[in-house]
Amino acid sequence: MNRYLKILISTGLVAVSLQSPMVNASSQGNGQPASHPHQDLATRLSPSANNVLNHPYVNIGHRGASAYAPEHTFASYDKSLNEMNADYLELDLQMTKDGHLVAMHDDTVDRTTNGTGRVDQFTLAELKQLDAGSWFNKENPNLKNANYVGQKVPTIDEIFQKYGTKANYYIETKSPDAYPGMEEKLLNKLHQYGLDKHNNLRNGKVVIQSFSPESLTKIHQINPNIPLIQLIDKGELAQYTNDATLNKVKQYAVGVGPDYTDLTADNTQYLRQNGFYIHPYTVNDEADMRRLNEYGVTGLFTNFPDRYDRIIHEHN
């Protein structure tokens, strides 16, 4: 069993929502169960017809358009947003030695740069010396692009400066135990760039996900208006398909992100009936995309946002 899930179940971990100045009595909802799967915590707190999360199917560009360009680079993000109609950019966060939040999936730089070592052993200046794009050309000669050479690891500041409120962000706190204070730094950055404004949050401009209920609970205590997604390890979804566990998750999260291979028609409907968004990872095959849509997922992560965009329109 996932060690975070053990903590959740054994300790009865429940988040206490601290009142934010942005939340008033009229916008807190009546605490009643959701009448349909999209009437969740985020929309009960402040309903919005423009909430991106309430699209029939949410298209989440996994590390950008990472099947076509080097992951977590602006080349990948631009392609995902500008060419492939992704609803969200997924950002995996790591932290440098000198405390800067950067977008990188692995806790080491070895796989996606020409460097070696843990991210937290690099200062930002040192990290910026690395080439984060050439590896893609070597591994994907049919997609080789000279513009990928010399791509840099982006900071969260650079991402927010470039896209601002024009993009929607689906952010993961990676390895939060290894990075004390990551949650506070992230929330400070959201505030610095105005992304935590009430209208932005109620429209789904920012979503935060994590495998760690502790990390999500911490964020929820600081700002209960941010939609949170509980990620679930492969093989662990069965542990969540009971009322007791889901009721605990509901205290802080509005949705779940399971490995797509763990989903069935039955457990998908069970999660939907409990009012959760369901965003499985990482779905690249078109047949799987169609099957999961039929099950009733509310979106998914994919390296091929163009494929899912086509299937969404095909379905509609």
Side-chain angles (χ1 to χ4, degrees), residues 60-73 75-77 79-80 83-84 90 111 135-137 139-145 148 282-285 289 301-308:
I60 306 163
H62 186 238
R63 311 176 197 175
S66 54
Y68 300 100
E71 66 183 65
H72 288 315
T73 64
S76 184
Y77 297 157
K79 189 174 289 289
S80 177
E83 300 178 28
M84 300 187 175
E90 187 218 16
R111 182 176 62 84
W135 69 272
F136 185 89
N137 286 344
E139 292 192 8
N140 303 276
N142 59 317
L143 297 172
K144 186 175 180 179
N145 188 322
Y148 297 163
T282 302
V283 190
N284 294 323
D285 182 78
M289 292 175 179
F301 290 85
T302 180
N303 299 336
F304 297 87
D306 57 333
R307 291 182 183 176
Y308 195 47

Coordinates of all heavy atoms in Angstrom, one line a residue, residues 60-73 75-77 79-80 83-84 90 111 135-137 139-145 148 282-285 289 301-308:
I60 N -5.2 17.5 -20.7 CA -4.1 17.9 -19.9 C -2.8 17.5 -20.7 O -2.5 16.3 -20.8 CB -4.1 17.3 -18.5 CG1 -5.4 17.6 -17.9 CG2 -3.0 17.9 -17.7 CD1 -5.7 16.7 -16.7
G61 N -2.0 18.5 -21.1 CA -0.8 18.3 -21.8 C 0.3 17.8 -20.8 O 0.9 18.6 -20.1
H62 N 0.6 16.5 -20.9 CA 1.5 15.9 -19.9 C 3.0 16.4 -20.2 O 3.6 16.0 -21.2 CB 1.5 14.4 -20.1 CG 2.2 13.6 -19.1 ND1 3.2 12.7 -19.4 CD2 2.2 13.6 -17.7 CE1 3.7 12.2 -18.4 NE2 3.1 12.7 -17.3
R63 N 3.5 17.2 -19.3 CA 4.8 17.8 -19.5 C 4.8 18.7 -20.8 O 5.9 18.8 -21.4 CB 5.9 16.8 -19.5 CG 5.8 15.8 -18.3 CD 6.8 14.7 -18.3 NE 6.5 13.7 -17.4 CZ 7.1 12.5 -17.3 NH1 8.2 12.3 -18.0 NH2 6.7 11.5 -16.5
G64 N 3.7 19.2 -21.2 CA 3.5 19.9 -22.4 C 3.0 18.9 -23.5 O 2.2 18.1 -23.2
A65 N 3.6 19.0 -24.7 CA 3.3 18.0 -25.7 C 4.5 17.2 -25.9 O 5.3 17.2 -26.8 CB 3.0 18.7 -27.1
S66 N 4.7 16.3 -24.9 CA 6.0 15.7 -24.7 C 6.3 14.5 -25.7 O 7.4 14.0 -25.7 CB 6.2 15.2 -23.2 OG 5.1 14.3 -22.9
A67 N 5.3 14.2 -26.5 CA 5.5 13.2 -27.5 C 6.2 13.9 -28.7 O 6.8 13.2 -29.6 CB 4.3 12.5 -28.0
Y68 N 6.1 15.2 -28.8 CA 6.6 15.9 -30.0 C 7.8 16.9 -29.7 O 8.4 17.3 -30.7 CB 5.4 16.8 -30.5 CG 4.2 15.9 -30.9 CD1 3.1 15.8 -30.1 CD2 4.2 15.3 -32.1 CE1 2.0 15.1 -30.5 CE2 3.1 14.5 -32.5 CZ 2.0 14.4 -31.7 OH 0.9 13.7 -32.0
A69 N 8.0 17.1 -28.5 CA 9.1 18.1 -28.1 C 9.6 17.8 -26.8 O 9.0 17.1 -26.0 CB 8.5 19.5 -28.2
P70 N 10.9 18.2 -26.4 CA 11.5 17.9 -25.1 C 10.6 18.3 -24.0 O 10.2 19.5 -23.9 CB 12.8 18.6 -25.2 CG 12.7 19.6 -26.3 CD 11.8 19.0 -27.3
E71 N 10.3 17.4 -23.1 CA 9.3 17.7 -22.0 C 9.8 18.8 -21.1 O 11.0 19.0 -20.9 CB 9.2 16.4 -21.2 CG 10.4 16.0 -20.4 CD 10.2 14.7 -19.7 OE1 10.0 13.6 -20.3 OE2 10.3 14.7 -18.5
H72 N 8.9 19.5 -20.6 CA 9.1 20.6 -19.7 C 10.1 21.6 -20.2 O 11.1 22.1 -19.6 CB 9.6 20.1 -18.3 CG 8.5 19.5 -17.5 ND1 7.2 20.0 -17.4 CD2 8.5 18.3 -16.8 CE1 6.5 19.2 -16.6 NE2 7.2 18.2 -16.3
T73 N 9.9 22.0 -21.5 CA 10.6 23.1 -22.1 C 9.5 24.0 -22.8 O 8.4 23.6 -23.0 CB 11.6 22.7 -23.2 OG1 10.9 22.0 -24.3 CG2 12.6 21.7 -22.6
A75 N 9.4 24.9 -25.8 CA 9.1 24.3 -27.0 C 7.9 23.3 -26.9 O 7.0 23.3 -27.7 CB 10.3 23.5 -27.6
S76 N 7.9 22.5 -25.8 CA 6.9 21.6 -25.5 C 5.6 22.3 -25.1 O 4.5 21.9 -25.5 CB 7.3 20.6 -24.5 OG 6.4 19.6 -24.3
Y77 N 5.7 23.2 -24.2 CA 4.5 24.0 -23.7 C 3.9 24.7 -24.9 O 2.6 24.7 -25.0 CB 5.0 25.0 -22.7 CG 5.5 24.3 -21.4 CD1 6.4 25.1 -20.6 CD2 5.3 23.0 -21.0 CE1 6.9 24.6 -19.4 CE2 5.8 22.5 -19.9 CZ 6.6 23.3 -19.1 OH 7.2 22.7 -17.9
K79 N 3.9 24.1 -28.1 CA 3.2 23.2 -29.0 C 1.9 22.7 -28.4 O 0.9 22.6 -29.1 CB 4.1 22.1 -29.3 CG 3.6 21.1 -30.4 CD 4.7 20.1 -30.8 CE 5.9 20.7 -31.5 NZ 5.5 21.2 -32.9
S80 N 1.9 22.4 -27.1 CA 0.7 21.9 -26.4 C -0.4 22.9 -26.5 O -1.5 22.6 -26.8 CB 1.1 21.6 -25.0 OG 0.0 21.1 -24.3
E83 N -0.8 24.6 -30.7 CA -1.0 23.8 -31.8 C -2.0 22.6 -31.5 O -2.6 22.1 -32.4 CB 0.3 23.2 -32.3 CG 1.3 24.2 -32.8 CD 2.6 23.6 -33.3 OE1 2.6 22.5 -33.7 OE2 3.6 24.3 -33.2
M84 N -2.1 22.2 -30.2 CA -2.8 21.0 -29.9 C -4.0 21.1 -28.9 O -4.5 20.2 -28.5 CB -1.8 20.0 -29.4 CG -0.7 19.7 -30.4 SD 0.4 18.4 -30.0 CE 1.4 18.2 -31.5
E90 N 0.7 20.7 -17.7 CA 1.1 20.1 -16.5 C 2.5 20.4 -16.1 O 3.4 20.4 -16.9 CB 1.0 18.5 -16.6 CG 1.3 17.8 -15.3 CD 2.1 16.5 -15.4 OE1 2.7 16.3 -16.5 OE2 2.1 15.8 -14.5
R111 N 18.3 12.3 -17.2 CA 17.5 11.8 -18.3 C 17.2 12.9 -19.3 O 17.2 12.6 -20.5 CB 16.2 11.1 -17.8 CG 15.4 10.5 -18.9 CD 14.1 9.8 -18.4 NE 13.3 10.8 -17.6 CZ 12.3 11.5 -18.2 NH1 12.2 11.5 -19.5 NH2 11.6 12.3 -17.5
W135 N 18.7 16.0 -26.1 CA 18.5 14.6 -25.9 C 17.3 14.1 -26.7 O 17.2 13.0 -27.2 CB 18.2 14.3 -24.4 CG 16.9 14.9 -23.9 CD1 16.8 16.2 -23.4 CD2 15.6 14.3 -23.9 NE1 15.4 16.4 -23.1 CE2 14.7 15.2 -23.4 CE3 15.2 13.0 -24.3 CZ2 13.4 15.0 -23.2 CZ3 13.8 12.8 -24.1 CH2 12.9 13.7 -23.6
F136 N 16.3 15.0 -26.9 CA 15.0 14.6 -27.6 C 15.3 14.3 -29.1 O 14.8 13.4 -29.6 CB 14.0 15.7 -27.5 CG 12.7 15.4 -28.1 CD1 11.7 14.7 -27.3 CD2 12.4 15.7 -29.4 CE1 10.5 14.4 -27.9 CE2 11.2 15.4 -30.0 CZ 10.2 14.7 -29.2
N137 N 16.2 15.1 -29.7 CA 16.5 14.9 -31.1 C 17.3 13.6 -31.3 O 17.0 12.9 -32.3 CB 17.4 16.0 -31.6 CG 16.7 17.3 -31.8 OD1 15.5 17.3 -31.8 ND2 17.4 18.4 -31.9
E139 N 16.9 10.9 -29.4 CA 16.0 9.8 -29.2 C 14.8 9.7 -30.2 O 14.2 8.7 -30.3 CB 15.4 9.8 -27.7 CG 16.4 9.6 -26.6 CD 15.8 9.4 -25.3 OE1 14.5 9.3 -25.2 OE2 16.5 9.3 -24.3
N140 N 14.6 10.8 -30.8 CA 13.5 10.9 -31.8 C 13.9 11.6 -33.1 O 13.5 12.7 -33.4 CB 12.3 11.7 -31.2 CG 11.8 11.2 -29.9 OD1 11.0 10.3 -29.8 ND2 12.3 11.7 -28.8
P141 N 14.8 10.9 -33.8 CA 15.3 11.5 -35.0 C 14.3 11.9 -36.1 O 14.5 12.8 -36.8 CB 16.3 10.4 -35.6 CG 15.8 9.1 -34.9 CD 15.3 9.5 -33.6
N142 N 13.1 11.2 -36.1 CA 12.1 11.6 -37.0 C 11.4 12.9 -36.6 O 10.7 13.5 -37.5 CB 11.0 10.5 -37.1 CG 10.4 10.2 -35.7 OD1 11.1 10.1 -34.7 ND2 9.1 10.0 -35.7
L143 N 11.6 13.4 -35.4 CA 11.0 14.6 -34.9 C 12.1 15.7 -34.6 O 11.8 16.7 -34.0 CB 10.2 14.4 -33.6 CG 9.0 13.5 -33.8 CD1 8.4 13.2 -32.4 CD2 7.9 14.1 -34.7
K144 N 13.3 15.4 -35.1 CA 14.4 16.3 -34.8 C 14.1 17.7 -35.3 O 13.6 18.0 -36.4 CB 15.6 15.8 -35.6 CG 16.9 16.5 -35.3 CD 18.1 15.8 -36.0 CE 19.4 16.5 -35.7 NZ 20.6 15.8 -36.3
N145 N 14.5 18.7 -34.4 CA 14.2 20.1 -34.6 C 15.4 20.9 -34.1 O 15.8 20.7 -32.9 CB 12.9 20.5 -34.0 CG 12.5 21.9 -34.3 OD1 13.3 22.8 -34.5 ND2 11.2 22.1 -34.5
Y148 N 15.2 22.7 -30.8 CA 15.2 22.0 -29.5 C 16.6 22.0 -28.9 O 16.7 21.9 -27.6 CB 14.8 20.6 -29.7 CG 13.4 20.4 -30.1 CD1 12.9 19.2 -30.7 CD2 12.5 21.5 -30.1 CE1 11.6 19.1 -31.1 CE2 11.2 21.4 -30.5 CZ 10.7 20.1 -31.0 OH 9.4 20.0 -31.5
T282 N -1.0 8.0 -17.8 CA -0.8 8.9 -18.9 C -1.3 8.2 -20.1 O -0.8 7.1 -20.4 CB 0.7 9.3 -19.0 OG1 1.1 9.9 -17.8 CG2 0.9 10.2 -20.2
V283 N -2.3 8.7 -20.8 CA -3.0 7.9 -21.8 C -2.6 8.4 -23.2 O -2.9 9.6 -23.6 CB -4.6 8.1 -21.6 CG1 -5.3 7.1 -22.5 CG2 -4.9 8.0 -20.1
N284 N -2.0 7.5 -24.0 CA -1.5 7.9 -25.3 C -2.1 7.2 -26.4 O -2.1 7.7 -27.6 CB 0.0 7.7 -25.3 CG 0.8 8.6 -24.4 OD1 0.4 9.8 -24.2 ND2 1.8 8.1 -23.7
D285 N -2.8 6.1 -26.2 CA -3.4 5.3 -27.2 C -4.8 5.8 -27.4 O -5.6 5.9 -26.5 CB -3.4 3.8 -26.8 CG -4.0 2.9 -27.9 OD1 -3.3 2.7 -28.9 OD2 -5.2 2.6 -27.8
M289 N -8.2 6.2 -24.9 CA -8.8 7.4 -24.7 C -10.3 7.3 -24.9 O -11.1 7.8 -24.1 CB -8.3 8.5 -25.7 CG -6.9 8.9 -25.5 SD -6.3 10.0 -26.8 CE -4.6 10.3 -26.2
F301 N -4.5 12.9 -18.7 CA -3.2 13.4 -19.1 C -2.7 12.6 -20.3 O -2.9 11.4 -20.4 CB -2.2 13.1 -17.9 CG -2.4 13.9 -16.7 CD1 -3.4 13.5 -15.8 CD2 -1.7 15.1 -16.5 CE1 -3.6 14.3 -14.6 CE2 -1.9 15.8 -15.4 CZ -2.9 15.5 -14.4
T302 N -2.1 13.3 -21.2 CA -1.6 12.7 -22.4 C -0.4 13.4 -23.0 O -0.3 14.6 -22.9 CB -2.7 12.6 -23.5 OG1 -2.1 11.9 -24.7 CG2 -3.2 13.9 -23.9
N303 N 0.6 12.6 -23.5 CA 1.7 13.2 -24.3 C 1.3 13.6 -25.7 O 2.1 14.3 -26.3 CB 2.8 12.1 -24.4 CG 3.3 11.6 -23.1 OD1 3.3 12.3 -22.1 ND2 3.9 10.4 -23.1
F304 N 0.1 13.2 -26.1 CA -0.5 13.6 -27.4 C -1.8 14.4 -27.3 O -2.8 13.9 -27.6 CB -0.8 12.3 -28.2 CG 0.4 11.4 -28.5 CD1 0.9 10.5 -27.6 CD2 1.1 11.6 -29.7 CE1 2.0 9.6 -27.8 CE2 2.2 10.7 -30.0 CZ 2.6 9.8 -29.0
P305 N -1.7 15.6 -26.8 CA -2.9 16.4 -26.7 C -3.7 16.6 -28.0 O -4.9 16.7 -28.0 CB -2.5 17.7 -26.1 CG -1.0 17.8 -26.3 CD -0.5 16.4 -26.3
D306 N -3.0 16.5 -29.1 CA -3.7 16.6 -30.4 C -4.6 15.4 -30.6 O -5.7 15.5 -31.1 CB -2.7 16.7 -31.5 CG -1.7 15.6 -31.6 OD1 -1.4 15.0 -30.6 OD2 -1.2 15.3 -32.7
R307 N -4.2 14.2 -30.2 CA -5.0 13.0 -30.4 C -6.3 13.1 -29.5 O -7.4 12.8 -30.0 CB -4.2 11.8 -29.9 CG -3.1 11.4 -30.9 CD -2.4 10.1 -30.4 NE -1.3 9.7 -31.2 CZ -0.5 8.7 -31.0 NH1 -0.7 7.9 -29.9 NH2 0.5 8.4 -31.8
Y308 N -6.1 13.5 -28.2 CA -7.2 13.6 -27.4 C -8.2 14.7 -27.8 O -9.4 14.6 -27.7 CB -6.8 13.8 -25.9 CG -7.9 13.6 -24.9 CD1 -8.7 12.4 -25.0 CD2 -8.2 14.4 -23.9 CE1 -9.7 12.1 -24.1 CE2 -9.2 14.2 -22.9 CZ -9.9 13.0 -23.1 OH -10.9 12.8 -22.2

